[in-house]
Amino acid sequence: MAEAESGLSPTTFEIGLVMAGAVSAGAYTAGVIDFLTEALDSWYRAKQRGVPDTPPHDVKISVVTGASAGGVTAAVLASELRGGLLHMNSQTGSARNKLYETWVERVDIGPLLDARDLERPGAKVPSLLDSTVLDDAARNALATAWSGAPWPEYMADPLDVILCVTNLRGVPYSIRFSAEQDRDYGMSQHADYMHFSLSPTNKASKWNDSVPLGREEQEEGNWRLLKEAALASSAFPAALAARSLTRSAGNYNRRRWSIPQEPKCDRSQRCVCEVEKEIPPMWPDELKETDIDRWEYRFANIDGGLANNEPFEIARRCLAGSANRSPRGAEDAKRAILMIDPFPNQSVLDLRYDPESSLRLLGTLPALISAVLSELRFKKDELELARDPSVFSRFLIAPTRTEIRDGKEQRARYPLATGGLGGFAGFLSEAYRQHDYRLGRRNCQQFLRRTFGLAYDNPLFRDWPPTLKEKLRFKNEAGMDLLPIIPLTDSLGVEEPLPEWPVNRRPDMTVLERLLRRRTDAVVKRLIDTELERLSMNWIVSRVGWEVVKLNERLLNLIRSPHKGPIGTILKIVRDDLSERGL
């Protein structure tokens, strides 16, 4: 990224959207985005019509970042902007939109347990689940063409769209220390991202490492790259197929990094503690004679949420530009990061923890994986600022719902129907995904009404008449008097109903068992066939192949066992988890 300043007026508030990984709970994130953009559409229409008492300030969404399910949602939103946004409004009737279609209607367990990915003779097993349904969903979601629909005034031109990926190849970097000039300290970056810019006027991005999204169709040019990046960002390890991406190596050379420096004050007496600079990767020597912009760097990827599940910092740097900081107070905040996270991390210390369980050979590996993932996602400083009531440059929308327990209304222990089975429960029932989409809309409405505001004397509201301030003021949870950044106009102020908990809407377990057997048979047989093919190339060990053939049927029978095998275990886990969550 290159240095940039927004150049927006004091009466324009700038927003960066950050969408965290969520597996099937991407339905919740999609619902939040649906309501958020509908509220903005409604407000700007009211301003255009000159409706009395309509707040006159402006909002600009300048950057959208996402990891995993959040990355998919970011890509779908970018595509939908080409044709005009539709919304699933519970008050005025439902309108079909790609967010709902992608996350509620198209992602289901049946196709995921199919075997279309193994139909081609000799095809290798790419993943435990059949990921071809995701290719179909991505192709459909990004099939929108430029329709001539007006570009939303609340979207920046150009709009930065950034999808996190976990780069398995890695990008090599090196640092030469002054004490040892002949030695380099090498390292490899795997927490990667794909940066795109979308403009209705083909306006160039301020960030010179971005890929422009032009007016070509979704199967052409950089729109195809966006589709592949979305699939790569959501490639849950082992469960979904890893994805390959190709980009110009020159993009990495133009990335800018925030480097700490001794605090310095500029002419406005603003303290600057970081400076941005380009740090090119340590590409192999044989590439230095070539045009680095023409060299295609290819790399395999898995779930972007693995290495960077909440891309706060990327969005923050995009918003802050060369200033590299944003005012935080209710009186002076002029931009904010808005994070949507269906599963905000909750780490609980296990009081019954036994270190002996991690000292055994088979116990060390799971403990190691858990520790690495937790450390990669450890961002206490970032999230602490988001929850600090005095900070108005970072906000969080997380799922919440209430239920009646012991005759009292209390916060539900499990707000999301898709949250079970590590976030995979939503694939089992469309009713679960529909519930969470509706809950996302409701939670977003409550957030805009009760939380997302600034102080009376913030310059954003300088053109508001006193009567309007008095009419729209509200108190947040900390008891502060605030004015709304995004007001609710027209029917958007009517309460979004709390969706009914989808009790007894679990999948038919007999059908699920049949689907599991179908997929398991296909995967195990293909794995064994692949091994036989390898063994047959060496006549010395070909006899081992016959033993594998005999093992084939016994192995499948064990897996299929409704009591002792893995399928029986999976079904029990599903039943227990859904029962625990009242589903």
Side-chain angles (χ1 to χ4, degrees):
M1 290 179 277
E3 294 188 9
E5 288 287 0
S6 65
L8 298 176
S9 75
T11 58
T12 298
F13 193 80
E14 197 173 11
I15 295 175
L17 294 180
V18 177
M19 292 177 277
V23 197
S24 66
Y28 175 83
T29 302
V32 171
I33 294 297
D34 185 16
F35 189 90
L36 179 69
T37 53
E38 184 175 13
L40 286 162
D41 282 335
S42 174
W43 171 32
Y44 272 81
R45 282 196 306 268
K47 289 205 294 183
Q48 291 167 1
R49 298 196 310 265
V51 176
D53 286 342
T54 299
H57 69 280
D58 286 292
V59 160
K60 287 288 183 188
I61 297 176
S62 297
V63 57
V64 178
T65 69
S68 192
V72 173
T73 305
V76 175
L77 174 62
S79 179
E80 281 292 87
L81 288 172
R82 296 181 289 172
L85 296 171
L86 299 175
H87 307 286
M88 300 291 291
N89 191 314
S90 59
Q91 305 299 330
T92 61
S94 297
R96 192 176 187 85
N97 69 65
K98 291 296 179 65
L99 288 169
Y100 185 88
E101 187 177 337
T102 299
W103 281 110
V104 178
E105 297 180 339
R106 280 189 166 264
V107 183
D108 200 75
I109 192 63
L112 287 169
L113 292 176
D114 210 334
R116 289 169 55 198
D117 57 338
L118 303 177
E119 289 177 351
R120 181 174 55 83
K124 303 295 189 294
V125 177
S127 54
L128 295 175
L129 299 175
D130 184 350
S131 299
T132 54
V133 63
L134 302 183
D135 293 86
D136 296 340
R139 192 176 301 111
N140 174 77
L142 273 65
T144 306
W146 288 98
S147 66
W151 183 256
E153 292 184 57
Y154 55 83
M155 287 290 180
D157 178 14
L159 174 69
D160 289 291
V161 181
I162 303 174
L163 278 59
C164 292
V165 295
T166 299
N167 182 333
L168 295 181
R169 185 178 187 181
V171 183
Y173 288 89
S174 67
I175 297 176
R176 177 156 292 186
F177 291 93
S178 57
E180 298 184 50
Q181 290 295 329
D182 61 335
R183 298 285 299 274
D184 287 331
Y185 182 84
M187 55 193 133
S188 182
Q189 185 194 28
H190 296 271
D192 205 350
Y193 60 85
M194 301 292 289
H195 190 161
F196 301 88
S197 62
L198 176 62
S199 169
T201 59
N202 292 323
K203 188 176 180 180
S205 172
K206 296 175 182 178
W207 310 109
N208 55 14
D209 65 342
S210 67
V211 177
L213 295 171
R215 290 185 171 270
E216 68 270 15
E217 297 299 321
Q218 58 99 10
E219 282 297 331
E220 301 173 6
N222 293 333
W223 282 100
R224 178 183 295 176
L225 181 60
L226 176 67
K227 182 190 73 173
E228 293 301 323
L231 291 169
S233 184
S234 59
F236 196 92
L240 301 173
R243 303 286 176 161
S244 174
L245 294 173
T246 301
R247 67 182 305 175
S248 164
N251 282 36
Y252 290 99
N253 285 37
R254 292 188 290 272
R255 281 189 178 174
R256 298 183 71 87
W257 301 73
S258 290
I259 307 299
Q261 66 171 9
E262 287 293 327
K264 297 180 181 179
C265 293
D266 58 19
R267 293 178 181 177
S268 63
Q269 298 302 305
R270 180 181 56 188
C271 184
V272 179
C273 300
E274 294 180 329
V275 62
E276 286 196 341
K277 63 180 294 185
E278 292 179 356
I279 304 178
M282 190 66 177
W283 301 118
D285 291 340
E286 54 266 34
L287 296 177
K288 293 181 179 178
E289 300 299 322
T290 68
D291 183 351
I292 201 68
D293 280 318
R294 296 182 180 179
W295 186 66
E296 292 186 338
Y297 170 72
R298 300 183 63 200
F299 51 107
N301 302 270
I302 56 175
D303 196 322
L306 184 68
N308 191 3
N309 198 52
E310 295 104 358
F312 249 109
E313 181 61 17
I314 296 174
R316 185 194 69 80
R317 287 183 58 208
C318 271
L319 281 190
S322 60
N324 212 18
R325 68 176 299 276
S326 295
R328 295 175 178 174
E331 301 80 11
D332 60 355
K334 56 185 178 181
R335 60 179 73 96
I337 298 297
L338 176 53
M339 187 171 85
I340 307 163
D341 193 348
F343 302 127
N345 291 339
Q346 294 182 346
S347 180
V348 179
L349 186 67
D350 184 2
L351 297 178
R352 295 176 295 178
Y353 173 75
D354 178 11
E356 295 296 326
S357 63
S358 298
L359 299 180
R360 298 189 298 271
L361 176 63
L362 296 181
T364 301
L365 185 58
L368 172 64
I369 294 173
S370 177
V372 169
L373 288 177
S374 295
E375 181 60 28
L376 285 170
R377 297 174 178 180
F378 187 80
K379 300 175 183 175
K380 188 178 187 304
D381 52 343
E382 299 284 354
L383 295 177
E384 184 68 20
L385 288 173
R387 68 182 291 274
D388 188 336
S390 66
V391 173
F392 287 78
S393 61
R394 304 177 188 219
F395 293 88
L396 171 67
I397 302 179
T400 180
R401 63 170 285 131
T402 58
E403 61 185 11
I404 303 299
R405 293 202 309 269
D406 301 326
K408 298 179 180 179
E409 187 177 62
Q410 302 180 41
R411 179 169 292 186
R413 181 182 179 187
Y414 301 115
L416 294 181
T418 61
L421 304 173
F424 278 84
F427 296 135
L428 299 178
S429 172
E430 182 173 331
Y432 300 169
R433 303 190 296 273
Q434 186 179 71
H435 169 275
D436 289 3
Y437 190 96
R438 297 293 187 187
L439 184 67
R441 284 184 55 88
R442 175 182 168 85
N443 282 179
C444 183
Q445 182 188 52
Q446 303 305 314
F447 169 78
L448 298 181
R449 175 180 287 154
R450 301 174 180 175
T451 303
F452 199 42
L454 297 170
Y456 275 42
D457 53 353
N458 189 292
L460 184 68
F461 309 120
R462 71 181 184 187
D463 297 332
W464 282 39
T467 53
L468 183 59
K469 289 185 176 182
E470 185 62 26
K471 179 180 178 180
L472 295 186
R473 72 173 182 171
F474 69 92
K475 286 185 181 293
N476 66 1
E477 290 186 357
M480 297 179 63
D481 279 323
L482 303 176
L483 295 176
I485 297 173
I486 299 178
L488 299 177
T489 57
D490 296 331
S491 64
L492 272 296
V494 178
E495 191 83 358
E496 283 281 321
L498 180 67
E500 184 178 349
W501 189 246
V503 64
N504 295 326
R505 300 294 297 276
R506 76 178 193 182
D508 185 320
M509 302 304 281
T510 302
V511 173
L512 180 59
E513 181 178 355
R514 176 173 55 81
L515 294 174
L516 283 167
R517 287 188 176 187
R518 179 181 68 182
R519 178 64 184 174
T520 301
D521 286 2
V523 168
V524 172
K525 288 179 179 178
R526 182 55 54 89
L527 287 173
I528 291 177
D529 288 346
T530 302
E531 190 64 15
L532 281 175
E533 180 182 347
R534 187 183 68 82
L535 291 173
S536 65
M537 295 179 183
N538 188 334
W539 67 271
I540 297 177
V541 296
S542 61
R543 181 162 184 149
V544 177
W546 291 108
E547 296 302 319
V548 174
V549 171
K550 295 176 185 177
L551 178 64
N552 185 357
E553 195 62 33
R554 281 180 287 177
L555 181 61
L556 283 176
N557 287 336
L558 174 62
I559 293 174
R560 290 170 177 161
S561 171
H563 303 294
K564 298 180 180 179
I567 289 180
T569 301
I570 291 172
L571 293 173
K572 183 180 186 304
I573 291 173
V574 169
R575 290 191 187 96
D576 291 348
D577 192 275
L578 297 184
S579 177
E580 166 70 17
R581 294 170 182 270
L583 293 169

